[in-house]
Amino acid sequence: MRGISDYAVVYDITNDLERTKVDKVLQGFGFRVQKSVFECRMDKKIKNELIKRLQELNIKTGFIKIY
């Protein structure tokens, strides 16, 4: 599959409400491999959409990393 890559999305968020929102967004893009780690197979367009959706959450109590 050309242009498609696997990514690990990792988060550490202390606020329950913020963590739940992040979890719901990530469920739409991939699957959980650990409690706070999702594996997502995405092309550039979908990855940019994920980044946009996560930025819109305006998380204040932790971090989200995409590897």
Side-chain angles (χ1 to χ4, degrees):
M1 291 189 269
R2 193 169 193 177
I4 302 216
S5 299
D6 291 324
Y7 295 91
V9 183
V10 180
Y11 60 92
D12 185 12
I13 299 169
T14 57
N15 180 279
D16 289 339
L17 181 59
E18 287 185 343
R19 189 171 46 251
T20 299
K21 289 179 181 180
V22 169
D23 189 65
K24 286 182 181 180
V25 168
L26 290 174
Q27 286 178 22
F29 288 86
F31 62 94
R32 184 185 310 278
V33 292
Q34 287 187 1
K35 192 169 184 170
S36 60
V37 180
F38 277 76
E39 185 176 315
C40 304
R41 179 165 283 174
M42 305 179 284
D43 63 17
K44 186 175 182 176
K45 181 179 177 183
I46 295 171
K47 180 183 170 195
N48 288 337
E49 177 64 24
L50 172 60
I51 291 168
K52 178 183 168 213
R53 299 260 317 267
L54 291 172
Q55 287 175 334
E56 288 172 350
L57 296 177
N58 201 23
I59 300 301
K60 301 285 187 202
T61 66
F63 66 86
I64 305 165
K65 302 272 186 179
I66 300 175
Y67 297 99

